[in-house]
Amino acid sequence: MKIYNTLTRRKEDFKPIEEGVVSMYVCGPTVYNYIHIGNARPMIVFDTVRRYMEHKGLNVNYVSNFTDVDDKIIKKANEEGTTSEVISQRFIEECKRDMEGLNVLPASTHPLATEEVPGMIDMISTLIDKGYAYKTEDGTVYFRTRKFEDYGKLSHKNIDDLEAGHRNINVTGEQKEDYLDFVLWKPKKEGEPYWDSPWSQGRPGWHIECSVMSKKYLGECIDIHAGGEDLIFPHHENEIAQSEAANGVPFANYWMHNGFLNIDNKKMSKSAGNFFTVRDISEKYDLQVLRFFMLSAHYRNPLNFSAELMESAKAGLERILNAYNNLMYLYENATSDITNDEEAKAKSAEYVDKFEEAMEDDFNTADAISVIFEFVRHINQAVNEQTGANVLKIYIDKLSMLCDILGIILEKEEKLPDEEIERLIDERQRARKKKDFKRADEIRDELREKGIVLEDTREGVKYKWV
Ligand code: AMP
Ligand code: ZN
């Protein structure tokens, strides 16, 4: 398996630190609004990396944070006359709903920055003890960037060029020793959430969050750290400086970055009026179409979003779904059980190999999707009413397997409508009254199978989806 590593600017063979296990950290969103379709790109892309690795038998420990304390969250809370906690909790829930629609698997752990402040205080203290950080009079703590010799190794920037760029920035009011120093801890302002610390009542800087959460949940040195390419500098560069200075070991072996999503070939921006949330798109399309669209390009390339391209993604996805539905129809109505399946086995293996070859090459999902289209074309020609169930089953299994790696669902389970659930709950209550416990249990089991659990409470029967 080859991965393009931003650190070395080369495609490298992937070798996890511990055989068979992968530790992967993906920088998550700042939760002050619904996620936009740009935010969905790293979610979908790295979820696909994870799914492919799991398909190859690797056990992926996948951590992705929510940044739930930040200037934008505080601003939104002030605008709405509420607390930043209310805002962040609301948009974490909304983000999880969008992720479900996009069929992005929940992370093994989704840490929240606000729950990890003690760890951040520890790491900042270590950095101060080691001389990599200092406190100023107003209670701010800065990282002493120039002391970290490898600074710039990820973004391949020369520290002297950075300095030239920074000279123009107005730093009035800041008490930093050097233009390049960045914040680890900042004192609170009126009305802001804060924590006690040895330096001031305040809150952590953004970069230290990820260094600490990655260390806590995955260890000091991890396999993969990922995010959008805008995070390479300064966020990931600063994470490396903090973590390596504090821990004394390399932070991550592979750095993966997705390219940006543009709209009609322009940068997405609210003020330019070309800005879409995932929720906006869900009003017009099944979110699977958005996922399929995102995977139709290589993750490192820029991707252009337009109505036309979405329509063509929809048509492409339908071609695959139609082939699958046809296979299922033929399978359910197959009259002959056994026919010669040599060709089906050989052809399926050939397409699976080609698919894997594309994915092994730095997760080339664009080519992998082309292989699925070729496979679908073959299937459509190869099967008809006379085809044996055994042959159909081979095609069904292999097509499902490939789509599953991309997170494309071929067979959506119909969710039972609420009225139907309530009808069954009423029927169960009536059965219990009549002491027909057999029927009552049958209904409970039937609902359980559909993912609904009943709870008998004092206010009556309640149900929840599991
Ligand atoms: P943010 O909430 O801005 O920190 O972004 C969360 C994630 O979305 C980060 O990995 C960003 O790099 C990524 N991201 C933001 N905008 C875009 C975009 N237009 N295209 C691709 N990725 C993006
Ligand atoms: Zn991060």
PDB file of all heavy atoms in Angstrom, residues 27-30 36 38-39 41-42 206 227-231 258-261 268, ligand 1:
ATOM      1  N   CYS A  27      -7.847  15.749  11.746  1.00  0.00           N
ATOM      2  CA  CYS A  27      -8.327  16.992  12.365  1.00  0.00           C
ATOM      3  C   CYS A  27      -9.790  17.217  11.979  1.00  0.00           C
ATOM      4  O   CYS A  27     -10.137  17.216  10.801  1.00  0.00           O
ATOM      5  CB  CYS A  27      -7.496  18.183  11.916  1.00  0.00           C
ATOM      6  SG  CYS A  27      -5.825  18.115  12.552  1.00  0.00           S
ATOM      7  N   GLY A  28     -10.604  17.417  12.988  1.00  0.00           N
ATOM      8  CA  GLY A  28     -12.045  17.560  12.752  1.00  0.00           C
ATOM      9  C   GLY A  28     -12.469  19.015  12.677  1.00  0.00           C
ATOM     10  O   GLY A  28     -11.646  19.923  12.808  1.00  0.00           O
ATOM     11  N   PRO A  29     -13.759  19.223  12.504  1.00  0.00           N
ATOM     12  CA  PRO A  29     -14.249  20.588  12.283  1.00  0.00           C
ATOM     13  C   PRO A  29     -14.391  21.400  13.571  1.00  0.00           C
ATOM     14  O   PRO A  29     -14.500  20.849  14.660  1.00  0.00           O
ATOM     15  CB  PRO A  29     -15.628  20.351  11.668  1.00  0.00           C
ATOM     16  CG  PRO A  29     -16.075  19.045  12.223  1.00  0.00           C
ATOM     17  CD  PRO A  29     -14.831  18.222  12.425  1.00  0.00           C
ATOM     18  N   THR A  30     -14.412  22.705  13.386  1.00  0.00           N
ATOM     19  CA  THR A  30     -14.781  23.619  14.460  1.00  0.00           C
ATOM     20  C   THR A  30     -16.298  23.741  14.387  1.00  0.00           C
ATOM     21  O   THR A  30     -16.841  24.054  13.327  1.00  0.00           O
ATOM     22  CB  THR A  30     -14.114  24.995  14.232  1.00  0.00           C
ATOM     23  OG1 THR A  30     -12.718  24.760  14.063  1.00  0.00           O
ATOM     24  CG2 THR A  30     -14.334  25.922  15.397  1.00  0.00           C
ATOM     25  N   HIS A  36     -19.844  22.495   6.039  1.00  0.00           N
ATOM     26  CA  HIS A  36     -20.031  22.788   4.619  1.00  0.00           C
ATOM     27  C   HIS A  36     -19.454  21.655   3.777  1.00  0.00           C
ATOM     28  O   HIS A  36     -18.793  20.745   4.311  1.00  0.00           O
ATOM     29  CB  HIS A  36     -19.472  24.166   4.259  1.00  0.00           C
ATOM     30  CG  HIS A  36     -18.008  24.371   4.523  1.00  0.00           C
ATOM     31  ND1 HIS A  36     -17.026  23.680   3.852  1.00  0.00           N
ATOM     32  CD2 HIS A  36     -17.368  25.198   5.397  1.00  0.00           C
ATOM     33  CE1 HIS A  36     -15.845  24.084   4.278  1.00  0.00           C
ATOM     34  NE2 HIS A  36     -16.021  24.992   5.219  1.00  0.00           N
ATOM     35  N   GLY A  38     -17.055  21.522   1.811  1.00  0.00           N
ATOM     36  CA  GLY A  38     -15.592  21.419   1.870  1.00  0.00           C
ATOM     37  C   GLY A  38     -15.161  20.572   3.059  1.00  0.00           C
ATOM     38  O   GLY A  38     -14.299  19.693   2.948  1.00  0.00           O
ATOM     39  N   ASN A  39     -15.790  20.789   4.214  1.00  0.00           N
ATOM     40  CA  ASN A  39     -15.468  19.995   5.405  1.00  0.00           C
ATOM     41  C   ASN A  39     -15.766  18.513   5.181  1.00  0.00           C
ATOM     42  O   ASN A  39     -15.158  17.644   5.816  1.00  0.00           O
ATOM     43  CB  ASN A  39     -16.314  20.414   6.626  1.00  0.00           C
ATOM     44  CG  ASN A  39     -16.113  21.854   7.042  1.00  0.00           C
ATOM     45  OD1 ASN A  39     -17.067  22.542   7.360  1.00  0.00           O
ATOM     46  ND2 ASN A  39     -14.886  22.311   7.032  1.00  0.00           N
ATOM     47  N   ARG A  41     -15.215  16.828   2.587  1.00  0.00           N
ATOM     48  CA  ARG A  41     -14.212  16.118   1.762  1.00  0.00           C
ATOM     49  C   ARG A  41     -13.224  15.306   2.617  1.00  0.00           C
ATOM     50  O   ARG A  41     -13.076  14.112   2.380  1.00  0.00           O
ATOM     51  CB  ARG A  41     -13.491  17.092   0.817  1.00  0.00           C
ATOM     52  CG  ARG A  41     -12.679  16.329  -0.209  1.00  0.00           C
ATOM     53  CD  ARG A  41     -12.109  17.186  -1.319  1.00  0.00           C
ATOM     54  NE  ARG A  41     -11.530  16.325  -2.353  1.00  0.00           N
ATOM     55  CZ  ARG A  41     -10.687  16.702  -3.284  1.00  0.00           C
ATOM     56  NH1 ARG A  41     -10.319  17.959  -3.348  1.00  0.00           N
ATOM     57  NH2 ARG A  41     -10.204  15.850  -4.157  1.00  0.00           N
ATOM     58  N   PRO A  42     -12.530  15.930   3.612  1.00  0.00           N
ATOM     59  CA  PRO A  42     -11.639  15.074   4.419  1.00  0.00           C
ATOM     60  C   PRO A  42     -12.393  13.957   5.128  1.00  0.00           C
ATOM     61  O   PRO A  42     -11.865  12.850   5.267  1.00  0.00           O
ATOM     62  CB  PRO A  42     -11.017  16.048   5.434  1.00  0.00           C
ATOM     63  CG  PRO A  42     -11.834  17.295   5.369  1.00  0.00           C
ATOM     64  CD  PRO A  42     -12.458  17.340   4.016  1.00  0.00           C
ATOM     65  N   TRP A 206      -5.444  26.724  19.498  1.00  0.00           N
ATOM     66  CA  TRP A 206      -6.017  25.650  18.681  1.00  0.00           C
ATOM     67  C   TRP A 206      -5.019  24.503  18.449  1.00  0.00           C
ATOM     68  O   TRP A 206      -5.362  23.324  18.581  1.00  0.00           O
ATOM     69  CB  TRP A 206      -6.466  26.256  17.336  1.00  0.00           C
ATOM     70  CG  TRP A 206      -6.894  25.310  16.282  1.00  0.00           C
ATOM     71  CD1 TRP A 206      -7.597  24.146  16.448  1.00  0.00           C
ATOM     72  CD2 TRP A 206      -6.666  25.450  14.872  1.00  0.00           C
ATOM     73  NE1 TRP A 206      -7.822  23.556  15.226  1.00  0.00           N
ATOM     74  CE2 TRP A 206      -7.257  24.338  14.245  1.00  0.00           C
ATOM     75  CE3 TRP A 206      -6.024  26.416  14.085  1.00  0.00           C
ATOM     76  CZ2 TRP A 206      -7.226  24.158  12.865  1.00  0.00           C
ATOM     77  CZ3 TRP A 206      -6.000  26.235  12.718  1.00  0.00           C
ATOM     78  CH2 TRP A 206      -6.592  25.118  12.118  1.00  0.00           C
ATOM     79  N   GLY A 227      -5.646  15.683   7.239  1.00  0.00           N
ATOM     80  CA  GLY A 227      -6.553  16.836   7.238  1.00  0.00           C
ATOM     81  C   GLY A 227      -6.510  17.497   5.869  1.00  0.00           C
ATOM     82  O   GLY A 227      -5.808  17.020   4.964  1.00  0.00           O
ATOM     83  N   GLY A 228      -7.220  18.599   5.737  1.00  0.00           N
ATOM     84  CA  GLY A 228      -7.204  19.333   4.473  1.00  0.00           C
ATOM     85  C   GLY A 228      -5.874  20.059   4.285  1.00  0.00           C
ATOM     86  O   GLY A 228      -5.181  20.350   5.261  1.00  0.00           O
ATOM     87  N   GLU A 229      -5.539  20.373   3.030  1.00  0.00           N
ATOM     88  CA  GLU A 229      -4.200  20.927   2.760  1.00  0.00           C
ATOM     89  C   GLU A 229      -3.996  22.313   3.374  1.00  0.00           C
ATOM     90  O   GLU A 229      -2.868  22.738   3.584  1.00  0.00           O
ATOM     91  CB  GLU A 229      -3.912  20.949   1.257  1.00  0.00           C
ATOM     92  CG  GLU A 229      -4.805  21.905   0.496  1.00  0.00           C
ATOM     93  CD  GLU A 229      -4.570  21.869  -1.011  1.00  0.00           C
ATOM     94  OE1 GLU A 229      -3.802  21.019  -1.490  1.00  0.00           O
ATOM     95  OE2 GLU A 229      -5.194  22.694  -1.697  1.00  0.00           O
ATOM     96  N   ASP A 230      -5.092  23.008   3.679  1.00  0.00           N
ATOM     97  CA  ASP A 230      -4.941  24.314   4.330  1.00  0.00           C
ATOM     98  C   ASP A 230      -4.356  24.171   5.740  1.00  0.00           C
ATOM     99  O   ASP A 230      -3.895  25.151   6.320  1.00  0.00           O
ATOM    100  CB  ASP A 230      -6.294  25.038   4.414  1.00  0.00           C
ATOM    101  CG  ASP A 230      -7.332  24.236   5.180  1.00  0.00           C
ATOM    102  OD1 ASP A 230      -7.361  22.995   5.021  1.00  0.00           O
ATOM    103  OD2 ASP A 230      -8.102  24.835   5.957  1.00  0.00           O
ATOM    104  N   LEU A 231      -4.392  22.964   6.280  1.00  0.00           N
ATOM    105  CA  LEU A 231      -3.902  22.770   7.645  1.00  0.00           C
ATOM    106  C   LEU A 231      -2.386  22.529   7.700  1.00  0.00           C
ATOM    107  O   LEU A 231      -1.796  22.560   8.779  1.00  0.00           O
ATOM    108  CB  LEU A 231      -4.621  21.584   8.315  1.00  0.00           C
ATOM    109  CG  LEU A 231      -6.138  21.715   8.452  1.00  0.00           C
ATOM    110  CD1 LEU A 231      -6.690  20.546   9.272  1.00  0.00           C
ATOM    111  CD2 LEU A 231      -6.539  23.029   9.133  1.00  0.00           C
ATOM    112  N   ASN A 258      -5.827  16.294   1.953  1.00  0.00           N
ATOM    113  CA  ASN A 258      -6.721  16.343   0.791  1.00  0.00           C
ATOM    114  C   ASN A 258      -6.671  17.727   0.142  1.00  0.00           C
ATOM    115  O   ASN A 258      -6.454  18.733   0.827  1.00  0.00           O
ATOM    116  CB  ASN A 258      -8.165  15.985   1.186  1.00  0.00           C
ATOM    117  CG  ASN A 258      -8.796  16.968   2.142  1.00  0.00           C
ATOM    118  OD1 ASN A 258      -8.691  16.811   3.348  1.00  0.00           O
ATOM    119  ND2 ASN A 258      -9.443  18.003   1.605  1.00  0.00           N
ATOM    120  N   GLY A 259      -6.892  17.745  -1.174  1.00  0.00           N
ATOM    121  CA  GLY A 259      -6.965  19.004  -1.907  1.00  0.00           C
ATOM    122  C   GLY A 259      -8.268  19.727  -1.591  1.00  0.00           C
ATOM    123  O   GLY A 259      -9.167  19.164  -0.957  1.00  0.00           O
ATOM    124  N   PHE A 260      -8.375  20.950  -2.079  1.00  0.00           N
ATOM    125  CA  PHE A 260      -9.553  21.748  -1.750  1.00  0.00           C
ATOM    126  C   PHE A 260     -10.708  21.518  -2.709  1.00  0.00           C
ATOM    127  O   PHE A 260     -10.533  21.131  -3.862  1.00  0.00           O
ATOM    128  CB  PHE A 260      -9.171  23.227  -1.695  1.00  0.00           C
ATOM    129  CG  PHE A 260      -9.242  23.733  -0.283  1.00  0.00           C
ATOM    130  CD1 PHE A 260      -8.680  22.995   0.747  1.00  0.00           C
ATOM    131  CD2 PHE A 260      -9.885  24.922   0.021  1.00  0.00           C
ATOM    132  CE1 PHE A 260      -8.764  23.425   2.065  1.00  0.00           C
ATOM    133  CE2 PHE A 260      -9.971  25.375   1.337  1.00  0.00           C
ATOM    134  CZ  PHE A 260      -9.414  24.637   2.351  1.00  0.00           C
ATOM    135  N   LEU A 261     -11.887  21.756  -2.185  1.00  0.00           N
ATOM    136  CA  LEU A 261     -13.093  21.707  -2.994  1.00  0.00           C
ATOM    137  C   LEU A 261     -13.450  23.146  -3.371  1.00  0.00           C
ATOM    138  O   LEU A 261     -13.546  24.013  -2.489  1.00  0.00           O
ATOM    139  CB  LEU A 261     -14.225  21.106  -2.153  1.00  0.00           C
ATOM    140  CG  LEU A 261     -15.562  21.030  -2.862  1.00  0.00           C
ATOM    141  CD1 LEU A 261     -15.686  19.685  -3.549  1.00  0.00           C
ATOM    142  CD2 LEU A 261     -16.708  21.203  -1.884  1.00  0.00           C
ATOM    143  N   MET A 268     -14.763  28.543  -2.360  1.00  0.00           N
ATOM    144  CA  MET A 268     -16.065  28.628  -1.710  1.00  0.00           C
ATOM    145  C   MET A 268     -16.013  29.728  -0.642  1.00  0.00           C
ATOM    146  O   MET A 268     -15.103  29.748   0.180  1.00  0.00           O
ATOM    147  CB  MET A 268     -16.368  27.284  -1.059  1.00  0.00           C
ATOM    148  CG  MET A 268     -17.673  27.267  -0.352  1.00  0.00           C
ATOM    149  SD  MET A 268     -18.286  25.614  -0.065  1.00  0.00           S
ATOM    150  CE  MET A 268     -17.035  24.942   0.935  1.00  0.00           C
TER     151      MET A 268
HETATM  152  P1  AMP B   1     -12.243  23.689   9.820  1.00  0.00           P
HETATM  153  O1  AMP B   1     -13.523  23.517  10.557  1.00  0.00           O
HETATM  154  O2  AMP B   1     -12.164  24.935   8.994  1.00  0.00           O
HETATM  155  O3  AMP B   1     -11.025  23.524  10.722  1.00  0.00           O
HETATM  156  O4  AMP B   1     -12.137  22.509   8.743  1.00  0.00           O
HETATM  157  C1  AMP B   1     -12.276  21.141   9.036  1.00  0.00           C
HETATM  158  C2  AMP B   1     -11.634  20.335   7.942  1.00  0.00           C
HETATM  159  O5  AMP B   1     -12.203  20.650   6.650  1.00  0.00           O
HETATM  160  C3  AMP B   1     -10.135  20.580   7.800  1.00  0.00           C
HETATM  161  O6  AMP B   1      -9.487  19.338   7.546  1.00  0.00           O
HETATM  162  C4  AMP B   1     -10.052  21.490   6.591  1.00  0.00           C
HETATM  163  O7  AMP B   1      -8.806  21.370   5.934  1.00  0.00           O
HETATM  164  C5  AMP B   1     -11.172  20.938   5.722  1.00  0.00           C
HETATM  165  N1  AMP B   1     -11.671  21.903   4.714  1.00  0.00           N
HETATM  166  C6  AMP B   1     -12.187  23.131   4.942  1.00  0.00           C
HETATM  167  N2  AMP B   1     -12.575  23.726   3.800  1.00  0.00           N
HETATM  168  C7  AMP B   1     -12.324  22.841   2.791  1.00  0.00           C
HETATM  169  C8  AMP B   1     -12.511  22.862   1.355  1.00  0.00           C
HETATM  170  N3  AMP B   1     -13.074  23.883   0.723  1.00  0.00           N
HETATM  171  N4  AMP B   1     -12.116  21.763   0.647  1.00  0.00           N
HETATM  172  C9  AMP B   1     -11.572  20.705   1.283  1.00  0.00           C
HETATM  173  N5  AMP B   1     -11.364  20.615   2.609  1.00  0.00           N
HETATM  174  C10 AMP B   1     -11.733  21.675   3.382  1.00  0.00           C
END
